[in-house]
Every structure is written in structure tokens, then in C-alpha cells.
Amino acid sequence: MSDSVPASWSAALDPVLASEEARRLDAWLKGEEAAGRTVYPPRGQRLAALALTPLDEVKIVILGQDPYHGPGQAHGLAFSVPDGVRLPPSLRNIYKELASDLGVEPRTGGDLTRWAQQGVLLLNNTLTVEAARAGSHAKRGWDAITDACVEAVAASDTPSVFILWGSHAQQKARRIAALGSSSHHLVIESPHPSPLSAHRGFFGSRPFSRANAFLRENGRDPIDW
């Protein structure tokens, strides 16, 4: 892949990145860009989640579906947008639940880098998307790569939290369960924070306090949300 894999993740990802499927994905992305199609996030930001959250520092994994597909939105972290960009509806709902759960007042900016730097891996299932075409890069080969990321965290002896919002993220739960040593992790599942589904159980699910309580119980520092 054109974006370099951070050193802490290379042992987990090098085998899958050497596969024929990954080579096809890389060639296809280059072909899309050569044809003049706009791909988000731009090169250099597609593995930002891994760069900001080294494998041995992961405390929580929050899984999204694919990057935002509007100009200036996607920068490599699931659900996050750069400060100064209008908050997407899902992120506004995440902030609402955070305020309800922990009393944290919603921020005006949408950059979640501070979470990532504390050990929250903000990972999408698919790491690229064509402009204005949500889901357009699904089933192109990213799943094998993001599966490997999830499996690497699940295989660790250090207890971590997996927060799975929506059916796409929850499909990865079986990857976690398949590892026999994964019972020491906490898996939190709820509907997606999208306005289409947030009122079906995302609101009131209290993922932030539940995750922090688990981290404390297992001798790990909680996240300053």
C-alpha cells in the first residue's frame, strides 16, 4: 500500500498486505485516481488511525463503516472530521450520548485525534471511499486488512474494549469471539449513531462510562473523553 504501515502494526499487517488481494486493492485504488476519481481520505491519511494509536497502546476499538464522503471530512479516523468542518449527524449524536453518559459538554470541533492519542483506535471497516458515493469501496479488499487489525488487538493478553456501532461493525464481533483467548475483553454492541438508527438503542447505551469502568477494573487508565 502507498501509505506506510506504522512499525507497531507491521507484524500483524505485513502478511495480509503481501497477499494478492491487497495488491489488487492497491492497483485498483491507483486506477481510480488515475481515472480522475476523487478518493477520500487523501493519500498519507488512510492509515492515520494506526499511526496515532500503536498496537501496544490500544485500550478501546471503535469501529465505523467507511470514511465520510464529503470534501474535507475524512482524515483517517472513524467518525472524526477536522476542526472547522461541520459536524456530521453521527458525530453530533455521539457527542449527545457522551454528554448524557458522562456529562461531557459537546465540543464544537469534530477532530477526535485526542481520543486516538489516548488509545482509542478509531477504525473503519473500509478505509477509503469515492467522493459523494458512500460505501463505494466496500468489498474491494479492505476487510482483510481491518480484520487483521481487530484480530491483533483481540489476540493481545491485555484487556481491551471493542465498541461496535451498527451491523457492519458487529460483523467483526465474530472475529473477536473466534479467538479463544478473547474472553478477557469487553464487547459493547449497539445500533449505529446515525439519525436513522440512534433512537433504536444507541442513545442510552452508555458506552463511554462502561468502557472506562472496564479499563479501571483491569488496571488500565480510563479515557479522558
Side-chain angles (χ1 to χ4, degrees):
M1 304 299 295
S2 55
D3 286 23
S4 58
V5 176
S8 72
W9 290 94
S10 65
L13 292 184
D14 282 352
V16 68
L17 291 175
S19 69
E20 180 61 31
E21 184 178 18
R23 287 194 289 269
R24 284 196 300 267
L25 169 63
D26 194 36
W28 181 79
L29 285 170
K30 290 175 179 175
E32 291 292 286
E33 292 171 319
R37 296 182 181 90
T38 300
V39 176
Y40 297 132
R43 291 181 181 272
Q45 296 183 6
R46 293 170 187 173
L47 300 182
L50 306 184
L52 286 167
T53 312
L55 176 56
D56 58 355
E57 296 179 17
V58 174
K59 298 177 182 177
I60 297 173
V61 180
I62 295 180
L63 284 168
Q65 185 172 342
D66 62 349
Y68 296 124
H69 53 83
Q73 292 182 309
H75 64 142
L77 303 177
F79 297 105
S80 178
V81 293
D83 285 340
V85 174
R86 184 179 179 181
L87 297 184
S90 291
L91 183 54
R92 286 202 301 270
N93 285 340
I94 290 169
Y95 281 175
K96 286 178 184 177
E97 178 60 19
L98 180 57
S100 173
D101 187 5
L102 290 174
V104 175
E105 288 302 313
R107 297 179 60 240
T108 56
D111 190 342
L112 303 181
T113 294
R114 191 171 62 89
W115 292 4
Q117 292 171 333
Q118 295 180 75
V120 181
L121 180 63
L122 296 163
L123 186 70
N124 280 310
N125 277 336
T126 301
L127 300 186
T128 56
V129 69
E130 184 181 341
R133 293 189 62 211
S136 53
H137 289 189
K139 302 185 186 301
R140 287 289 180 176
W142 280 118
D143 278 345
I145 295 168
T146 54
D147 281 352
C149 294
V150 170
E151 289 169 2
V153 178
S156 171
D157 291 333
T158 305
S160 297
V161 182
F162 293 83
I163 298 177
L164 310 178
W165 290 330
S167 60
H168 284 84
Q170 289 161 15
Q171 288 172 9
K172 287 216 186 318
R174 63 177 178 269
R175 295 278 179 179
I176 303 165
L179 296 168
S181 61
S182 65
S183 59
H184 56 286
H185 300 306
L186 173 65
V187 177
I188 299 173
E189 299 186 32
S190 75
H192 195 276
S194 162
L196 297 174
S197 56
H199 291 280
R200 300 174 188 164
F202 172 77
F203 289 132
S205 61
R206 304 184 65 226
F208 308 102
S209 61
R210 291 164 64 191
N212 273 355
F214 178 85
L215 292 174
R216 290 190 188 97
E217 290 166 4
N218 286 278
R220 308 194 72 182
D221 291 334
I223 303 300
D224 179 3
W225 300 103

